[in-house]
Each structure stands twice: as C-alpha cells, then as structure tokens.
C-alpha cells in the first residue's frame, strides 16, 4: 500500500519530485492527479483555464501544498466510484488526509466521503467498484449506507476475501476459490476470471 505523509517537510520533497520527474514517485500528488480528469485548475491572470492533460502539468498542479500536519494516506483506502471518492479511515489513512484531499480537489466535481473502516487492512479490502454502478463488498467492515445509490454484490460469509477484486472492461478478476462470489458477480452482468 501507499503511505505518504503530507506535511510541511514532506511537501518540499514531493514538490521537487513531481516537478523534476513529472510525478513518477508514489506521492499524495500522484494519487490526487488520478482524479484530475474533471478537475479545473485556477486560471492564471489573463489566461484561459488550464486543462488537465499532460502528466507533468498534472503532477505540478496537484503537488501537495505546504499545509502543516501529518496526513498519511494509503492507496488502498481511496476508492473512486464515478464522481465520488470514498476514503477509508484506517490505521494507514487519517482524517487530516481526507481534509487535504478535499482541499486539493476543491475545484473538481468530486465528492470526498470519509468512511470509518474496521476489521480489515483498508477500504478496498472490503469494497471494490467493478463498473456499471456496481460495488462488491464484504458486510460488517464499514457503514454500508454509503452504497445506497449503487447496485451491490454482498460477498457471502466465508468468502470475504473475494470483496477485493478488480474489474477490467466487463470482466471481474476474482481471487481463486470463491465460487459463490463469482456466481453473484456473473448474475449482475459481468464475466469473471480467477
């Protein structure tokens, strides 16, 4: 998982990396840049609004600002579902990281939703988005009320590990050995692969 503190001391190193290597390091700025397809940068004086196209520009635009505070964030706690970004609050991601992500993405169309997570390593251990408005989740690790607007595949008891799957196009990659979960995912219109 990715765990990057974004405080005043980490900002200068992150900023140097993002401007020198165009965001090749796994930094908070890199995570934020993944959500920039709809983000709008503040226009410079006497210029038109910037577009989020080249990676170098993106990395610079989303370089972590010099806000104070310890704000670790784990990539496994960041779950994007359309224009909503769910951020798991775990031992690896804290509320300050959520606040900073909100500030960084303030000019975007993204809604940032913090989610208290328990009994698993991070949010994506218990919930993944497989596309077409559908999430696969394991009951009891977070408040499932946050998923009220989505189609849901509730992983059967004993197959909780299968909630951590990946979708490529219309195929869900499911961990081997979870036939009930595979059938449920296929039932909602996805092909599956172990």
């Amino acid at each position: 998982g990715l765990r990057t503190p974004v405080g005043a001391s980490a900002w200068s190193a992150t900023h140097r990396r993002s401007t020198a290597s165009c965001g090749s390091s796994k930094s908070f700025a890199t995570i934020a840049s993944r959500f920039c397809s709809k983000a709008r940068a503040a226009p410079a004086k006497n210029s038109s609004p910037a577009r989020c196209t080249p990676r170098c520009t993106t990395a610079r635009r989303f370089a972590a600002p010099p806000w104070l505070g310890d704000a670790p964030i784990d990539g496994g706690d960041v779950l994007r579902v359309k224009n909503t970004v769910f951020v798991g609050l775990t031992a690896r991601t804290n509320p300050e990281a959520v606040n900073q992500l909100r500030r960084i993405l303030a000019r975007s169309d993204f809604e940032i939703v913090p989610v208290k997570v328990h009994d698993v390593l991070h949010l994506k251990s218990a919930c993944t988005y497989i596309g077409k408005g559908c999430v696969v989740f394991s009951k009891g690790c977070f408040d499932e009320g946050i998923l009220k607007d989505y189609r849901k595949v509730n992983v059967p008891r004993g197959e909780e590990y299968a909630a951590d799957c990946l979708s490529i196009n219309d195929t869900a990659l499911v961990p081997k050995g979870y036939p009930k979960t595979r059938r449920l995912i296929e039932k909602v219109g996805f092909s599956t692969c172990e």
Side-chain angles (χ1 to χ4, degrees), residues 13-26:
T14 302
H15 180 70
R16 278 195 305 273
R17 283 192 305 265
S18 67
T19 55
S21 65
C22 300
S24 62
S25 67
K26 289 186 177 183

Side-chain angles (χ1 to χ4, degrees), residues 16 35 37 41 82 98 113 116 165 185:
R16 278 195 305 273
F35 301 112
S37 61
K82 299 183 179 183
V98 174
V113 178
K116 290 182 183 178
C165 57
I185 292 172

Side-chain angles (χ1 to χ4, degrees), residues 80-109:
R80 178 181 171 197
V81 181
K82 299 183 179 183
N83 284 352
T84 303
V85 180
F86 297 104
V87 183
L89 298 174
T90 65
R92 295 172 168 234
T93 302
N94 69 17
E96 183 56 27
V98 174
N99 293 336
Q100 289 191 24
L101 187 59
R102 271 194 185 119
R103 289 180 204 158
I104 290 168
L105 299 177
R107 294 174 182 245
S108 73
D109 294 332

Side-chain angles (χ1 to χ4, degrees), residues 107-178:
R107 294 174 182 245
S108 73
D109 294 332
F110 291 104
E111 176 187 8
I112 310 301
V113 178
V115 181
K116 290 182 183 178
V117 178
H118 50 88
D119 300 329
V120 291
L121 180 62
H122 47 63
L123 178 60
K124 287 191 205 171
S125 296
C127 184
T128 51
Y129 180 64
I130 58 172
K132 298 181 188 175
C134 187
V135 292
V136 177
F137 76 101
S138 178
K139 206 169 184 82
C141 299
F142 60 92
D143 176 11
E144 292 96 20
I146 64 167
L147 305 175
K148 68 182 182 322
D149 297 329
Y150 306 102
R151 294 186 312 145
K152 295 175 267 311
V153 172
N154 183 0
V155 174
R157 189 177 186 109
E159 292 196 9
E160 290 84 359
Y161 186 74
D164 190 0
C165 57
L166 173 68
S167 177
I168 299 175
N169 298 325
D170 290 337
T171 301
L173 306 178
V174 182
K176 191 172 184 171
Y178 301 100

